[in-house]
Amino acid sequence: MTALDERGLTQYRRDHVGFVFQFYNLMSSLTARENVQMVTEIARRPMSPDDPVALVGLTDRRDHFPAQLSGGEQQRVAIARAIAKNPEVLLCDEPTGALDSATGIKVLGALAEVNRSVGATTLVITHNAAIREIADRVLRFADGRIVEETVNATKKDPAEVSW
Amino acid sequence: MVISPLHRKVLRDLRRLWAHVLAIALVLAAGVATLILGNGAHSSLHETRARYYDDYRFADVFADVTRAPRALLGDIREIDNVLAAEARIVQLALLDMPAMAEPGTMFLVSLPEDGDRGLNLLHLRQGQLPDPQSAREVVVSEGFAAAHRLRPGAPLTVLMNGQQRELRVTGIALSPEFIYALGLGEMMPDPRRFGIAWLPRPALESALDLEGAFSKGRVLECRAQAGAGGIG
């Protein structure tokens, strides 16, 4: 991968990596389903657009625009969009950072569910230490390097986490 | 037909921003219209000018000489690619207008002798060309005529070669040669103080003592139209 040029890296991200951002980055003039469709149209082996939407529990909200959805729902649409391409790696950058704890837990539930059913390696970057309990493996970064590595023998269900 | 989400996004954005879209479209339309109008006007003016120069046989090459024998004209006509050549007399005269306190000048130019086959033909706006035998009849430039409210039949007094001469306007004309008529040493055209009068060659010859086989006039201009195009 280090040998790839800009174009090759873009292609790699498009085919293999899903991204979830702190502030969702949804297209405001497209519905939830259409936001997912954006990805399924260009991905190499995509899911049917309705499947990821169902996986994050938004089937009955799929024809709503982002402005008509709550923050947690929007983030779940973003997760659906990220997994629609069947990625091998799912990168989540502070996925609960903009959400209250109850909504954040729902989003984490969706992530855990996706991780189970799609099987993508899911990396969640967070400042929220409580979230580490739902992970298989926790890496703690400080000053640009890994300072601690923990493997959770038993990981918690997101519903049991609180902050 | 299934519309892709990106197209749908564009359509929805356009609908949402319809006022902006309309404003941009109007600006673009105005710009395009201005461009088309400007281009049209430019090419139209360009063609009109070319046509005017062509129709009135505006010469391509001008040469001023102090004095030259008329026989030289034959030599000039022999030069390759010279389609037509013409010798004229051009004389500066002082204006003597009763209503004008400031000094004014006038170019006296001999009329093309070959009629329609001459060069730098006049476009008559009013009246008629002078009688070729007349020593008093002249055609004046339109700007000058307008500035002095001259009409065909009006008298005109000039000082030519030290002599006062009473002339009579028979016509008012435009010439491709004097579209922007500047008097000697002037920065801007002033049709009140500078005009052009065309008169038959014999009238100028006699007034300036230029008769004979060799022109002894102060100015004899040889004007040639060169090149393959232009002369029909």
Side-chain angles (χ1 to χ4, degrees), chain A residues 29-30, chain B residues 5-15:
Chain A
S29 48
L30 293 179
Chain B
L6 272 182
H7 287 131
R8 234 176 266 179
K9 172 179 155 49
V10 168
L11 292 175
R12 280 182 197 146
D13 287 347
L14 288 179
R15 199 163 53 198

Side-chain angles (χ1 to χ4, degrees), chain A residues 27 29-31 34 37-38 41 65, chain B residues 2 4-6 8-9 12-13 16:
Chain A
M27 296 278 180
S29 48
L30 293 179
T31 63
E34 286 162 355
Q37 243 180 330
M38 292 269 294
E41 276 202 350
F65 289 95
Chain B
V2 182
S4 86
L6 272 182
R8 234 176 266 179
K9 172 179 155 49
R12 280 182 197 146
D13 287 347
R16 189 166 52 88

Side-chain angles (χ1 to χ4, degrees), chain B residues 40-56 179:
Chain B
H42 179 260
S43 65
S44 166
L45 284 171
H46 198 78
E47 279 171 26
T48 306
R49 184 183 62 182
R51 178 85 188 271
Y52 180 50
Y53 285 173
D54 210 35
D55 286 355
Y56 290 88
I179 286 171

Side-chain angles (χ1 to χ4, degrees), chain A residues 138-161:
Chain A
V138 182
L139 297 169
R140 198 161 72 82
F141 283 83
D143 303 324
R145 53 182 65 210
I146 298 170
V147 292
E148 188 191 336
E149 182 177 352
T150 331
V151 175
N152 287 339
T154 52
K155 58 176 182 179
K156 280 191 181 172
D157 189 84
E160 301 168 43
V161 178

Side-chain angles (χ1 to χ4, degrees), chain B residues 41-193:
Chain B
H42 179 260
S43 65
S44 166
L45 284 171
H46 198 78
E47 279 171 26
T48 306
R49 184 183 62 182
R51 178 85 188 271
Y52 180 50
Y53 285 173
D54 210 35
D55 286 355
Y56 290 88
R57 297 169 64 93
F58 184 44
D60 293 314
V61 178
F62 291 74
D64 289 5
V65 295
T66 307
R67 63 177 69 201
R70 285 200 76 180
L72 201 59
L73 193 56
D75 296 345
I76 292 167
R77 286 181 172 141
E78 293 300 309
I79 298 171
D80 278 353
N81 288 328
V82 171
L83 298 173
E86 193 176 272
R88 305 184 311 179
I89 299 169
V90 176
Q91 169 73 34
L92 197 66
L94 293 176
L95 279 171
D96 189 6
M97 306 291 286
M100 222 171 103
E102 66 270 40
T105 53
M106 176 162 246
F107 261 149
L108 301 178
V109 182
S110 66
L111 279 165
E113 287 182 304
D114 300 338
D116 286 350
R117 294 191 300 111
L119 296 174
N120 304 322
L121 302 180
L122 298 183
H123 174 72
L124 265 182
R125 301 275 290 158
Q126 276 184 49
Q128 58 189 32
L129 288 175
D131 177 352
Q133 305 305 318
S134 165
R136 290 186 57 217
E137 294 183 354
V138 294
V139 169
V140 293
S141 53
E142 192 178 41
F144 179 77
H148 292 282
R149 297 166 194 259
L150 297 177
R151 300 178 58 83
L156 179 67
T157 310
V158 295
L159 275 169
M160 193 190 335
N161 213 14
Q163 285 182 320
Q164 188 168 356
R165 290 182 70 93
E166 306 289 336
L167 303 172
R168 195 170 67 83
V169 176
T170 64
I172 292 162
L174 292 171
S175 161
E177 192 182 352
F178 296 104
I179 286 171
Y180 192 77
L182 272 184
L184 291 177
E186 282 181 3
M187 298 290 286
M188 297 291 292
D190 182 356
R192 243 177 76 75
R193 294 184 50 218

